[in-house]
Amino acid sequence: ARRRPRPLTTVGAPLDARPRCLVEAGWGLGDVIEAGPACHALWLLGEIAAHRTPPDIDQAAAHYQQALTLAEELGMRPLQAHCHRGLGMLYAATRQREQARTALSHAMAMYQSMHMTFWLPHTEAALAQVAACDALPRAQLARSVRYAVPRAC
């Protein structure tokens, strides 16, 4: 028999406790649940790992990648775009500029094609930060105090 997960209520839980809340609510990926909610749970786990202090980059990337693979299989394009954006932000934070540019550009193209304009400004800003790193010479980045050096540099 299929078991439906309980409603997801992690809003007040500390960030480190939220993955446990997902599992306790029945959103654990080892359970027999529908693939769509499992895909969302993977993306959410990636978001949680990415926003920890300090971020768990490896775990976040693994969750985003798993969610992206499943979202592609299921045709969940909005979630695919979110996964690309999450991966792009991780790549930017770890100074992998080419991968960041590719993932963020892909997310922007998907958001535009689906008319998901809410997500465009944040994604465009992140992509602009990556581009700013490429435009400034490395020596100038190191010694200049006039420039607000993007996190991606």
Side-chain angles (χ1 to χ4, degrees):
R2 277 199 155 166
R3 181 169 77 84
R4 297 293 255 172
R6 293 191 310 257
L8 185 60
T9 55
T10 63
V11 177
L15 280 179
D16 289 341
R18 289 183 185 184
R20 188 184 74 243
C21 292
L22 286 170
V23 173
E24 288 172 359
W27 291 81
L29 301 177
D31 296 336
V32 179
I33 61 172
E34 294 180 21
C39 192
H40 279 279
L42 281 167
W43 171 77
L44 183 57
L45 289 170
E47 287 285 297
I48 291 166
H51 291 91
R52 283 192 177 130
T53 305
D56 189 340
I57 302 294
D58 293 334
Q59 187 163 15
H63 287 306
Y64 284 140
Q65 194 59 55
Q66 289 173 330
L68 179 59
T69 300
L70 186 54
E72 287 171 346
E73 290 174 14
L74 298 173
M76 299 173 72
R77 294 187 70 236
L79 194 55
Q80 290 173 41
H82 291 330
C83 291
H84 283 294
R85 183 178 51 85
L87 285 167
M89 299 300 285
L90 286 178
Y91 293 143
T94 57
R95 295 173 174 77
Q96 299 175 53
R97 290 194 301 264
E98 189 57 40
Q99 294 95 326
R101 187 177 9 271
T102 300
L104 291 169
S105 296
H106 198 80
M108 279 186 48
M110 292 187 83
Y111 287 142
Q112 289 169 342
S113 72
M114 294 180 284
H115 306 287
M116 294 177 66
T117 57
F118 176 83
W119 299 98
L120 285 173
H122 185 257
T123 309
E124 287 171 345
L127 190 57
Q129 284 184 338
V130 172
C133 290
D134 292 337
L136 296 174
R138 200 61 170 151
Q140 186 177 4
L141 282 172
R143 70 175 186 273
S144 177
V145 294
R146 290 182 291 150
Y147 291 102
V149 180
R151 284 185 66 182
C153 297

